[in-house]
Amino acid sequence: MAPLVYFQILSAALFVIGLYGVLARRSAVLVVMSIELMLNAVNINLIAAASHLEGQGRFLNFDGHIIAIFVITIAAAEIGLALAIILRMYRNRATVDVDEINLMKW
Amino acid sequence: MVLQDIIFWLLAAIMLAAALGVVLVRDLFRAALLLVTVFLAVAGFFVLLSAQFLAVVQVLVYAGAVAILLVFAVMLTKDVARGNQPNRLRLPAAGLAGLALAVFIAVAVTTGWTPLPPSVQEQAALVQTQASGGTTPEGLEQAGISGEVQRSQAQRATLADLLLGEYVVPFEAVSVLLLAAAVGSLALLRGRPQG
């Protein structure tokens, strides 16, 4: 199996791609998608660390799996709520451009 | 294992290309489909890391439910026509992302990720065996159970024991959070628009 560092570099790459998407895109839907990319990167990192703790997938410690399950659940809750807010925003303002949503800007 | 290495590099190439496509492609609908590709590649990594249960959950929750929600959102907001434009922070964002990647890789490479010493591992195995009724690999071999199917079943059993045993309080908290999120999104979307 590939060493742990490969998985960590891969997960870092996926995370920064998501970071770029969050910072540099205008569509709120795409910002949500980029957040999902970042959460998936975190999950890869968790499972790789759990798997390499003892080597070759013979798990002694399942804490990484449990945290990954919680991350997936919270991501599901987050995406449901975020898309509800985006749809509401679109109904009220007819745009999902995050640069134009400045109601709460000081 | 040569085959595992080939699968690793193949999955890594597919995943990174699709992820770059998600943030760079102009058509939002294509971005959503590429995101599904990323989710499936991540599920492949979970299988490669012997976390079969999480791979199934990943396909069900992400490639199934989340993808459908996102496609619905893309369709309902009619933003497909305007496309996926970058804002004026594009270059600073790319610079920040590159800097973060460099820092992450430097930290990952320079840190010595030593596994636990063997004595600690044996102790942990003993504790785990006592806690979960002998579902560690050593416990399985002692009980005369072997083979990938039984190991996968044992993995699920251990996960279930942990979720409803040691981690029952966070489990219930997450359940309430999920319910609150579902009720909250319904409350946000019901009724006529006010403005």
Side-chain angles (χ1 to χ4, degrees), chain A residues 58-71:
Chain A
R58 286 159 56 106
F59 294 105
L60 278 186
N61 194 326
F62 282 88
D63 291 344
H65 288 60
I66 302 283
I67 298 172
I69 288 176
F70 285 146
V71 169

Side-chain angles (χ1 to χ4, degrees), chain A residues 8 10 17 20 23-26 36 40 47 59-60 62-63 73 75 79 84-85 88 90-91 96 99, chain B residues 23 39 45 49-50 54 58 62 66 77-79 84-87 90 113 128 162 167 174 188-189 191:
Chain A
Q8 286 172 332
L10 188 79
I17 291 173
Y20 173 77
L23 289 177
R25 293 283 126 174
R26 280 188 177 170
E36 295 302 310
N40 268 287
I47 300 299
F59 294 105
L60 278 186
F62 282 88
D63 291 344
T73 318
I79 202 163
I85 291 173
R88 188 76 201 180
Y90 181 72
R91 272 205 227 159
V96 291
D99 287 347
Chain B
V23 293
F39 290 157
F45 277 119
L49 291 165
S50 303
L54 267 169
Q58 170 89 8
Y62 273 114
V66 168
T77 52
K78 281 189 197 159
D79 225 37
N84 173 20
Q85 295 158 340
N87 58 17
R90 185 177 185 174
W113 300 97
Q128 193 93 18
L162 276 177
Y167 290 93
V174 164
L188 267 175
L189 284 176

Side-chain angles (χ1 to χ4, degrees), chain B residues 37-63:
Chain B
T37 314
V38 176
F39 290 157
L40 290 177
V42 172
F45 277 119
F46 288 169
V47 174
L48 199 62
L49 291 165
S50 303
Q52 294 95 345
F53 176 73
L54 267 169
V56 173
V57 170
Q58 170 89 8
V59 172
L60 278 179
V61 176
Y62 273 114

Side-chain angles (χ1 to χ4, degrees), chain A:
Chain A
M1 198 189 298
L4 179 57
V5 166
Y6 287 10
F7 283 100
Q8 286 172 332
I9 291 175
L10 188 79
S11 134
L14 192 59
F15 189 87
V16 296
I17 291 173
L19 183 67
Y20 173 77
V22 168
L23 289 177
R25 293 283 126 174
R26 280 188 177 170
S27 165
V29 180
L30 201 103
V31 170
V32 173
M33 289 187 200
S34 302
I35 292 174
E36 295 302 310
L37 284 183
M38 293 162 87
L39 289 170
N40 268 287
V42 171
N43 274 346
I44 291 181
N45 212 345
L46 282 170
I47 300 299
S51 170
H52 284 79
L53 185 66
E54 195 223 359
Q56 301 304 319
R58 286 159 56 106
F59 294 105
L60 278 186
N61 194 326
F62 282 88
D63 291 344
H65 288 60
I66 302 283
I67 298 172
I69 288 176
F70 285 146
V71 169
I72 289 177
T73 318
I74 291 172
E78 169 252 325
I79 202 163
L81 209 48
L83 291 182
I85 291 173
I86 288 172
L87 286 185
R88 188 76 201 180
M89 205 160 81
Y90 181 72
R91 272 205 227 159
N92 287 351
R93 312 275 308 254
T95 180
V96 291
D97 188 333
V98 287
D99 287 347
E100 290 173 27
I101 312 292
N102 50 11
L103 192 65
M104 292 177 75
K105 215 176 192 175
W106 185 58

